């Protein structure tokens, strides 16, 4: 019964956020900060899932950057989504636009679509993303794993986010959320604690296409270490 009630309430709330968010974004002429407003609205739904989300952003850091987060499962929408800062849009696969209600708000808020199936199109899009960052002075949110990990830990990174950061001349800012795998049982009132933390910016000025893998490995290690640290902290809090 609790599961059914939660599903109904969450679906109604999500549809309302999508509809109101679409109107809001269009009235603002797809202002880049609209993405963060809608993302944080979704993030505010976490109590409906019995989750307590502890957020540790870095509000003092305001310059354009590439934000990279770990992508776990559909509950990312109410956890790490709440960490999207101002003037930040995301890069997502074009098929997202066909998701009822969500696809509309994703487009209206000014996110960038990419053809992942076509390598030439994807590379061209990422080059354009670098230009957009410089021209509009905005940040980009990406999931470098390219897919949901679904309990498989931090998956290997793809290079797109790192090439883009180097080309745009902006730092990379990792954002890590503690483990969500098997975390949520919709029939359980209390599903525990999740911690999301923004790490220190990583300077990309010393990197190029030739040593991009070094940058990628550096970011991967920092995120993997932080993920393990946050999981330990959550385990201690939930004892």
């Amino acid at each position: 019964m609790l599961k059914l009630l939660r599903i109904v309430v969450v679906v109604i709330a999500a549809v309302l956020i999508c509809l109101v968010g679409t109107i809001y974004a269009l009235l603002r002429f797809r202002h880049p900060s609209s993405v963060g407003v809608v993302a944080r609205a979704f993030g505010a739904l976490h109590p409906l899932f019995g989750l307590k989300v502890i957020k540790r952003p870095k509000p003092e850091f305001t310059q354009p950057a590439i934000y990279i987060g770990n992508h776990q499962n559909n509950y990312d929408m109410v956890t790490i989504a709440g960490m999207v800062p101002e003037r930040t849009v995301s890069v997502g696969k074009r098929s997202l636009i066909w998701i009822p209600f969500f696809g509309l708000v994703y487009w209206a808020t000014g996110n960038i679509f990419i053809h992942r199936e076509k390598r030439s199109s994807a590379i061209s899009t990422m080059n354009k993303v670098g230009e957009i960052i410089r021209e509009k002075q905005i940040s980009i949110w990406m999931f470098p794993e390219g897919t949901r990990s679904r309990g498989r830990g931090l998956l290997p990174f793809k290079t797109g986010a790192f090439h883009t950061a180097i080309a745009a001349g902006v730092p990379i800012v990792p954002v890590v959320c503690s483990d969500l795998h098997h975390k949520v049982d919709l029939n359980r009132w209390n599903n525990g604690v999740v911690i999301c933390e923004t790490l220190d910016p990583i300077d990309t000025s010393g990197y190029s296409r030739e040593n991009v893998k070094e940058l990628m490995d550096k970011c991967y290690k920092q995120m993997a270490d932080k993920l393990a640290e946050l999981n330990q902290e959550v385990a201690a809090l939930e004892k």
Side-chain angles (χ1 to χ4, degrees), residues 24-54:
Y24 172 79
L26 292 176
L27 288 175
R28 297 186 78 195
F29 300 102
R30 302 180 78 195
H31 190 282
S33 287
S34 296
V35 174
V37 171
V38 173
R40 288 188 290 276
F42 275 107
L45 299 180
H46 65 85
L48 296 179
F49 294 88
L51 290 170
K52 177 183 178 181
V53 178
I54 299 173

PDB file of all heavy atoms in Angstrom, residues 24-54:
ATOM      1  N   TYR A  24       7.956  27.835 -17.056  1.00  0.00           N
ATOM      2  CA  TYR A  24       8.939  28.712 -16.413  1.00  0.00           C
ATOM      3  C   TYR A  24      10.153  28.917 -17.321  1.00  0.00           C
ATOM      4  O   TYR A  24      10.626  30.053 -17.515  1.00  0.00           O
ATOM      5  CB  TYR A  24       9.363  28.088 -15.088  1.00  0.00           C
ATOM      6  CG  TYR A  24      10.516  28.771 -14.390  1.00  0.00           C
ATOM      7  CD1 TYR A  24      10.324  29.938 -13.652  1.00  0.00           C
ATOM      8  CD2 TYR A  24      11.804  28.237 -14.448  1.00  0.00           C
ATOM      9  CE1 TYR A  24      11.382  30.555 -12.997  1.00  0.00           C
ATOM     10  CE2 TYR A  24      12.862  28.854 -13.799  1.00  0.00           C
ATOM     11  CZ  TYR A  24      12.648  30.005 -13.076  1.00  0.00           C
ATOM     12  OH  TYR A  24      13.699  30.613 -12.436  1.00  0.00           O
ATOM     13  N   ALA A  25      10.655  27.820 -17.893  1.00  0.00           N
ATOM     14  CA  ALA A  25      11.854  27.903 -18.733  1.00  0.00           C
ATOM     15  C   ALA A  25      11.586  28.683 -20.019  1.00  0.00           C
ATOM     16  O   ALA A  25      12.420  29.487 -20.460  1.00  0.00           O
ATOM     17  CB  ALA A  25      12.350  26.497 -19.068  1.00  0.00           C
ATOM     18  N   LEU A  26      10.423  28.468 -20.612  1.00  0.00           N
ATOM     19  CA  LEU A  26      10.101  29.178 -21.850  1.00  0.00           C
ATOM     20  C   LEU A  26       9.895  30.667 -21.601  1.00  0.00           C
ATOM     21  O   LEU A  26      10.274  31.506 -22.425  1.00  0.00           O
ATOM     22  CB  LEU A  26       8.858  28.562 -22.502  1.00  0.00           C
ATOM     23  CG  LEU A  26       9.040  27.143 -23.049  1.00  0.00           C
ATOM     24  CD1 LEU A  26       7.723  26.596 -23.574  1.00  0.00           C
ATOM     25  CD2 LEU A  26      10.105  27.121 -24.157  1.00  0.00           C
ATOM     26  N   LEU A  27       9.315  30.995 -20.448  1.00  0.00           N
ATOM     27  CA  LEU A  27       9.144  32.413 -20.108  1.00  0.00           C
ATOM     28  C   LEU A  27      10.481  33.094 -19.885  1.00  0.00           C
ATOM     29  O   LEU A  27      10.618  34.308 -20.089  1.00  0.00           O
ATOM     30  CB  LEU A  27       8.268  32.549 -18.860  1.00  0.00           C
ATOM     31  CG  LEU A  27       6.779  32.233 -19.039  1.00  0.00           C
ATOM     32  CD1 LEU A  27       6.056  32.277 -17.707  1.00  0.00           C
ATOM     33  CD2 LEU A  27       6.142  33.209 -20.033  1.00  0.00           C
ATOM     34  N   ARG A  28      11.473  32.323 -19.465  1.00  0.00           N
ATOM     35  CA  ARG A  28      12.822  32.875 -19.246  1.00  0.00           C
ATOM     36  C   ARG A  28      13.687  32.739 -20.504  1.00  0.00           C
ATOM     37  O   ARG A  28      14.897  32.952 -20.447  1.00  0.00           O
ATOM     38  CB  ARG A  28      13.509  32.150 -18.094  1.00  0.00           C
ATOM     39  CG  ARG A  28      12.836  32.292 -16.752  1.00  0.00           C
ATOM     40  CD  ARG A  28      13.676  31.673 -15.659  1.00  0.00           C
ATOM     41  NE  ARG A  28      14.784  32.533 -15.256  1.00  0.00           N
ATOM     42  CZ  ARG A  28      15.823  32.123 -14.525  1.00  0.00           C
ATOM     43  NH1 ARG A  28      15.910  30.861 -14.145  1.00  0.00           N
ATOM     44  NH2 ARG A  28      16.782  32.964 -14.194  1.00  0.00           N
ATOM     45  N   PHE A  29      13.055  32.360 -21.612  1.00  0.00           N
ATOM     46  CA  PHE A  29      13.768  32.194 -22.879  1.00  0.00           C
ATOM     47  C   PHE A  29      14.931  31.210 -22.740  1.00  0.00           C
ATOM     48  O   PHE A  29      16.053  31.476 -23.151  1.00  0.00           O
ATOM     49  CB  PHE A  29      14.276  33.545 -23.418  1.00  0.00           C
ATOM     50  CG  PHE A  29      13.178  34.527 -23.676  1.00  0.00           C
ATOM     51  CD1 PHE A  29      12.938  35.550 -22.775  1.00  0.00           C
ATOM     52  CD2 PHE A  29      12.364  34.416 -24.788  1.00  0.00           C
ATOM     53  CE1 PHE A  29      11.912  36.465 -22.997  1.00  0.00           C
ATOM     54  CE2 PHE A  29      11.330  35.323 -25.006  1.00  0.00           C
ATOM     55  CZ  PHE A  29      11.109  36.342 -24.117  1.00  0.00           C
ATOM     56  N   ARG A  30      14.635  30.067 -22.086  1.00  0.00           N
ATOM     57  CA  ARG A  30      15.602  28.979 -21.929  1.00  0.00           C
ATOM     58  C   ARG A  30      16.897  29.453 -21.255  1.00  0.00           C
ATOM     59  O   ARG A  30      17.997  29.103 -21.652  1.00  0.00           O
ATOM     60  CB  ARG A  30      15.890  28.318 -23.274  1.00  0.00           C
ATOM     61  CG  ARG A  30      14.659  27.752 -23.953  1.00  0.00           C
ATOM     62  CD  ARG A  30      15.009  27.109 -25.265  1.00  0.00           C
ATOM     63  NE  ARG A  30      15.585  25.788 -25.059  1.00  0.00           N
ATOM     64  CZ  ARG A  30      16.236  25.120 -26.005  1.00  0.00           C
ATOM     65  NH1 ARG A  30      16.422  25.662 -27.192  1.00  0.00           N
ATOM     66  NH2 ARG A  30      16.717  23.920 -25.771  1.00  0.00           N
ATOM     67  N   HIS A  31      16.738  30.258 -20.234  1.00  0.00           N
ATOM     68  CA  HIS A  31      17.888  30.736 -19.459  1.00  0.00           C
ATOM     69  C   HIS A  31      18.619  29.534 -18.869  1.00  0.00           C
ATOM     70  O   HIS A  31      17.983  28.588 -18.368  1.00  0.00           O
ATOM     71  CB  HIS A  31      17.404  31.661 -18.345  1.00  0.00           C
ATOM     72  CG  HIS A  31      18.491  32.392 -17.643  1.00  0.00           C
ATOM     73  ND1 HIS A  31      19.293  31.797 -16.675  1.00  0.00           N
ATOM     74  CD2 HIS A  31      18.947  33.670 -17.766  1.00  0.00           C
ATOM     75  CE1 HIS A  31      20.173  32.664 -16.230  1.00  0.00           C
ATOM     76  NE2 HIS A  31      19.989  33.818 -16.870  1.00  0.00           N
ATOM     77  N   PRO A  32      19.977  29.519 -18.903  1.00  0.00           N
ATOM     78  CA  PRO A  32      20.714  28.341 -18.437  1.00  0.00           C
ATOM     79  C   PRO A  32      20.500  27.973 -16.975  1.00  0.00           C
ATOM     80  O   PRO A  32      20.698  26.826 -16.589  1.00  0.00           O
ATOM     81  CB  PRO A  32      22.185  28.721 -18.696  1.00  0.00           C
ATOM     82  CG  PRO A  32      22.199  30.208 -18.860  1.00  0.00           C
ATOM     83  CD  PRO A  32      20.872  30.550 -19.466  1.00  0.00           C
ATOM     84  N   SER A  33      20.082  28.922 -16.148  1.00  0.00           N
ATOM     85  CA  SER A  33      19.842  28.606 -14.742  1.00  0.00           C
ATOM     86  C   SER A  33      18.527  27.860 -14.528  1.00  0.00           C
ATOM     87  O   SER A  33      18.268  27.345 -13.435  1.00  0.00           O
ATOM     88  CB  SER A  33      19.860  29.876 -13.893  1.00  0.00           C
ATOM     89  OG  SER A  33      21.178  30.363 -13.762  1.00  0.00           O
ATOM     90  N   SER A  34      17.691  27.783 -15.577  1.00  0.00           N
ATOM     91  CA  SER A  34      16.422  27.067 -15.449  1.00  0.00           C
ATOM     92  C   SER A  34      16.643  25.581 -15.200  1.00  0.00           C
ATOM     93  O   SER A  34      15.839  24.925 -14.527  1.00  0.00           O
ATOM     94  CB  SER A  34      15.577  27.261 -16.716  1.00  0.00           C
ATOM     95  OG  SER A  34      15.224  28.615 -16.887  1.00  0.00           O
ATOM     96  N   VAL A  35      17.728  25.042 -15.744  1.00  0.00           N
ATOM     97  CA  VAL A  35      18.028  23.625 -15.528  1.00  0.00           C
ATOM     98  C   VAL A  35      18.196  23.342 -14.045  1.00  0.00           C
ATOM     99  O   VAL A  35      17.627  22.385 -13.498  1.00  0.00           O
ATOM    100  CB  VAL A  35      19.302  23.205 -16.299  1.00  0.00           C
ATOM    101  CG1 VAL A  35      19.682  21.764 -15.958  1.00  0.00           C
ATOM    102  CG2 VAL A  35      19.090  23.348 -17.801  1.00  0.00           C
ATOM    103  N   GLY A  36      18.980  24.174 -13.364  1.00  0.00           N
ATOM    104  CA  GLY A  36      19.212  23.982 -11.948  1.00  0.00           C
ATOM    105  C   GLY A  36      17.948  24.126 -11.133  1.00  0.00           C
ATOM    106  O   GLY A  36      17.738  23.383 -10.158  1.00  0.00           O
ATOM    107  N   VAL A  37      17.084  25.066 -11.507  1.00  0.00           N
ATOM    108  CA  VAL A  37      15.823  25.266 -10.784  1.00  0.00           C
ATOM    109  C   VAL A  37      14.971  24.005 -10.853  1.00  0.00           C
ATOM    110  O   VAL A  37      14.447  23.525  -9.838  1.00  0.00           O
ATOM    111  CB  VAL A  37      15.051  26.475 -11.359  1.00  0.00           C
ATOM    112  CG1 VAL A  37      13.643  26.546 -10.760  1.00  0.00           C
ATOM    113  CG2 VAL A  37      15.806  27.769 -11.085  1.00  0.00           C
ATOM    114  N   VAL A  38      14.830  23.457 -12.062  1.00  0.00           N
ATOM    115  CA  VAL A  38      14.018  22.248 -12.226  1.00  0.00           C
ATOM    116  C   VAL A  38      14.687  21.047 -11.557  1.00  0.00           C
ATOM    117  O   VAL A  38      14.034  20.227 -10.916  1.00  0.00           O
ATOM    118  CB  VAL A  38      13.767  21.973 -13.724  1.00  0.00           C
ATOM    119  CG1 VAL A  38      13.079  20.626 -13.919  1.00  0.00           C
ATOM    120  CG2 VAL A  38      12.920  23.078 -14.333  1.00  0.00           C
ATOM    121  N   ALA A  39      16.009  20.942 -11.700  1.00  0.00           N
ATOM    122  CA  ALA A  39      16.735  19.825 -11.084  1.00  0.00           C
ATOM    123  C   ALA A  39      16.580  19.840  -9.566  1.00  0.00           C
ATOM    124  O   ALA A  39      16.360  18.794  -8.935  1.00  0.00           O
ATOM    125  CB  ALA A  39      18.215  19.886 -11.464  1.00  0.00           C
ATOM    126  N   ARG A  40      16.665  21.025  -8.981  1.00  0.00           N
ATOM    127  CA  ARG A  40      16.520  21.110  -7.526  1.00  0.00           C
ATOM    128  C   ARG A  40      15.082  20.849  -7.091  1.00  0.00           C
ATOM    129  O   ARG A  40      14.833  20.373  -5.972  1.00  0.00           O
ATOM    130  CB  ARG A  40      17.018  22.467  -7.035  1.00  0.00           C
ATOM    131  CG  ARG A  40      18.539  22.607  -7.103  1.00  0.00           C
ATOM    132  CD  ARG A  40      19.022  23.879  -6.438  1.00  0.00           C
ATOM    133  NE  ARG A  40      18.660  25.073  -7.178  1.00  0.00           N
ATOM    134  CZ  ARG A  40      19.361  25.577  -8.200  1.00  0.00           C
ATOM    135  NH1 ARG A  40      20.452  24.954  -8.606  1.00  0.00           N
ATOM    136  NH2 ARG A  40      18.973  26.671  -8.819  1.00  0.00           N
ATOM    137  N   ALA A  41      14.118  21.147  -7.963  1.00  0.00           N
ATOM    138  CA  ALA A  41      12.721  20.819  -7.661  1.00  0.00           C
ATOM    139  C   ALA A  41      12.539  19.305  -7.590  1.00  0.00           C
ATOM    140  O   ALA A  41      11.875  18.776  -6.694  1.00  0.00           O
ATOM    141  CB  ALA A  41      11.796  21.424  -8.713  1.00  0.00           C
ATOM    142  N   PHE A  42      13.157  18.594  -8.525  1.00  0.00           N
ATOM    143  CA  PHE A  42      13.123  17.132  -8.475  1.00  0.00           C
ATOM    144  C   PHE A  42      13.864  16.632  -7.233  1.00  0.00           C
ATOM    145  O   PHE A  42      13.421  15.688  -6.567  1.00  0.00           O
ATOM    146  CB  PHE A  42      13.749  16.534  -9.734  1.00  0.00           C
ATOM    147  CG  PHE A  42      12.793  16.408 -10.883  1.00  0.00           C
ATOM    148  CD1 PHE A  42      12.874  17.261 -11.976  1.00  0.00           C
ATOM    149  CD2 PHE A  42      11.815  15.423 -10.883  1.00  0.00           C
ATOM    150  CE1 PHE A  42      11.990  17.144 -13.043  1.00  0.00           C
ATOM    151  CE2 PHE A  42      10.926  15.308 -11.941  1.00  0.00           C
ATOM    152  CZ  PHE A  42      11.009  16.168 -13.030  1.00  0.00           C
ATOM    153  N   GLY A  43      14.992  17.263  -6.927  1.00  0.00           N
ATOM    154  CA  GLY A  43      15.761  16.872  -5.753  1.00  0.00           C
ATOM    155  C   GLY A  43      14.971  17.013  -4.457  1.00  0.00           C
ATOM    156  O   GLY A  43      15.184  16.251  -3.503  1.00  0.00           O
ATOM    157  N   ALA A  44      14.049  17.970  -4.431  1.00  0.00           N
ATOM    158  CA  ALA A  44      13.243  18.201  -3.222  1.00  0.00           C
ATOM    159  C   ALA A  44      12.249  17.071  -2.960  1.00  0.00           C
ATOM    160  O   ALA A  44      11.632  17.025  -1.891  1.00  0.00           O
ATOM    161  CB  ALA A  44      12.499  19.528  -3.347  1.00  0.00           C
ATOM    162  N   LEU A  45      12.104  16.148  -3.904  1.00  0.00           N
ATOM    163  CA  LEU A  45      11.171  15.037  -3.733  1.00  0.00           C
ATOM    164  C   LEU A  45      11.749  13.890  -2.900  1.00  0.00           C
ATOM    165  O   LEU A  45      11.051  12.918  -2.623  1.00  0.00           O
ATOM    166  CB  LEU A  45      10.744  14.483  -5.104  1.00  0.00           C
ATOM    167  CG  LEU A  45      10.024  15.440  -6.060  1.00  0.00           C
ATOM    168  CD1 LEU A  45       9.677  14.701  -7.354  1.00  0.00           C
ATOM    169  CD2 LEU A  45       8.775  16.021  -5.419  1.00  0.00           C
ATOM    170  N   HIS A  46      13.009  14.008  -2.491  1.00  0.00           N
ATOM    171  CA  HIS A  46      13.649  12.879  -1.816  1.00  0.00           C
ATOM    172  C   HIS A  46      12.925  12.389  -0.560  1.00  0.00           C
ATOM    173  O   HIS A  46      12.933  11.180  -0.275  1.00  0.00           O
ATOM    174  CB  HIS A  46      15.120  13.192  -1.502  1.00  0.00           C
ATOM    175  CG  HIS A  46      15.348  14.299  -0.528  1.00  0.00           C
ATOM    176  ND1 HIS A  46      15.335  14.102   0.835  1.00  0.00           N
ATOM    177  CD2 HIS A  46      15.610  15.622  -0.719  1.00  0.00           C
ATOM    178  CE1 HIS A  46      15.572  15.240   1.439  1.00  0.00           C
ATOM    179  NE2 HIS A  46      15.739  16.191   0.529  1.00  0.00           N
ATOM    180  N   PRO A  47      12.253  13.251   0.227  1.00  0.00           N
ATOM    181  CA  PRO A  47      11.539  12.717   1.395  1.00  0.00           C
ATOM    182  C   PRO A  47      10.421  11.743   1.017  1.00  0.00           C
ATOM    183  O   PRO A  47      10.059  10.863   1.816  1.00  0.00           O
ATOM    184  CB  PRO A  47      10.970  13.975   2.074  1.00  0.00           C
ATOM    185  CG  PRO A  47      11.860  15.090   1.621  1.00  0.00           C
ATOM    186  CD  PRO A  47      12.214  14.735   0.218  1.00  0.00           C
ATOM    187  N   LEU A  48       9.863  11.897  -0.195  1.00  0.00           N
ATOM    188  CA  LEU A  48       8.803  10.987  -0.627  1.00  0.00           C
ATOM    189  C   LEU A  48       9.326   9.566  -0.796  1.00  0.00           C
ATOM    190  O   LEU A  48       8.535   8.613  -0.816  1.00  0.00           O
ATOM    191  CB  LEU A  48       8.189  11.480  -1.951  1.00  0.00           C
ATOM    192  CG  LEU A  48       7.477  12.830  -1.912  1.00  0.00           C
ATOM    193  CD1 LEU A  48       6.957  13.189  -3.299  1.00  0.00           C
ATOM    194  CD2 LEU A  48       6.325  12.811  -0.910  1.00  0.00           C
ATOM    195  N   PHE A  49      10.621   9.418  -0.924  1.00  0.00           N
ATOM    196  CA  PHE A  49      11.234   8.098  -1.076  1.00  0.00           C
ATOM    197  C   PHE A  49      11.821   7.593   0.246  1.00  0.00           C
ATOM    198  O   PHE A  49      12.494   6.564   0.266  1.00  0.00           O
ATOM    199  CB  PHE A  49      12.334   8.148  -2.138  1.00  0.00           C
ATOM    200  CG  PHE A  49      11.822   8.430  -3.516  1.00  0.00           C
ATOM    201  CD1 PHE A  49      11.664   9.737  -3.960  1.00  0.00           C
ATOM    202  CD2 PHE A  49      11.474   7.393  -4.374  1.00  0.00           C
ATOM    203  CE1 PHE A  49      11.186  10.011  -5.228  1.00  0.00           C
ATOM    204  CE2 PHE A  49      10.994   7.654  -5.643  1.00  0.00           C
ATOM    205  CZ  PHE A  49      10.845   8.966  -6.080  1.00  0.00           C
ATOM    206  N   GLY A  50      11.584   8.328   1.312  1.00  0.00           N
ATOM    207  CA  GLY A  50      12.107   7.927   2.608  1.00  0.00           C
ATOM    208  C   GLY A  50      13.596   8.161   2.745  1.00  0.00           C
ATOM    209  O   GLY A  50      14.260   7.519   3.560  1.00  0.00           O
ATOM    210  N   LEU A  51      14.134   9.071   1.955  1.00  0.00           N
ATOM    211  CA  LEU A  51      15.569   9.344   1.969  1.00  0.00           C
ATOM    212  C   LEU A  51      15.869  10.671   2.664  1.00  0.00           C
ATOM    213  O   LEU A  51      15.124  11.639   2.518  1.00  0.00           O
ATOM    214  CB  LEU A  51      16.119   9.412   0.540  1.00  0.00           C
ATOM    215  CG  LEU A  51      16.188   8.107  -0.257  1.00  0.00           C
ATOM    216  CD1 LEU A  51      16.522   8.410  -1.712  1.00  0.00           C
ATOM    217  CD2 LEU A  51      17.228   7.163   0.341  1.00  0.00           C
ATOM    218  N   LYS A  52      16.974  10.698   3.368  1.00  0.00           N
ATOM    219  CA  LYS A  52      17.535  11.951   3.866  1.00  0.00           C
ATOM    220  C   LYS A  52      18.781  12.234   3.039  1.00  0.00           C
ATOM    221  O   LYS A  52      19.726  11.436   3.032  1.00  0.00           O
ATOM    222  CB  LYS A  52      17.911  11.847   5.342  1.00  0.00           C
ATOM    223  CG  LYS A  52      18.565  13.123   5.874  1.00  0.00           C
ATOM    224  CD  LYS A  52      19.003  12.986   7.329  1.00  0.00           C
ATOM    225  CE  LYS A  52      19.686  14.258   7.812  1.00  0.00           C
ATOM    226  NZ  LYS A  52      20.147  14.137   9.219  1.00  0.00           N
ATOM    227  N   VAL A  53      18.784  13.326   2.295  1.00  0.00           N
ATOM    228  CA  VAL A  53      19.906  13.661   1.427  1.00  0.00           C
ATOM    229  C   VAL A  53      20.710  14.800   2.045  1.00  0.00           C
ATOM    230  O   VAL A  53      20.181  15.888   2.283  1.00  0.00           O
ATOM    231  CB  VAL A  53      19.437  14.054   0.009  1.00  0.00           C
ATOM    232  CG1 VAL A  53      20.629  14.441  -0.858  1.00  0.00           C
ATOM    233  CG2 VAL A  53      18.669  12.901  -0.634  1.00  0.00           C
ATOM    234  N   ILE A  54      21.972  14.524   2.320  1.00  0.00           N
ATOM    235  CA  ILE A  54      22.896  15.539   2.835  1.00  0.00           C
ATOM    236  C   ILE A  54      23.676  16.091   1.645  1.00  0.00           C
ATOM    237  O   ILE A  54      24.391  15.356   0.962  1.00  0.00           O
ATOM    238  CB  ILE A  54      23.860  14.938   3.868  1.00  0.00           C
ATOM    239  CG1 ILE A  54      23.076  14.391   5.065  1.00  0.00           C
ATOM    240  CG2 ILE A  54      24.876  15.984   4.330  1.00  0.00           C
ATOM    241  CD1 ILE A  54      23.926  13.619   6.061  1.00  0.00           C
TER     242      ILE A  54
END
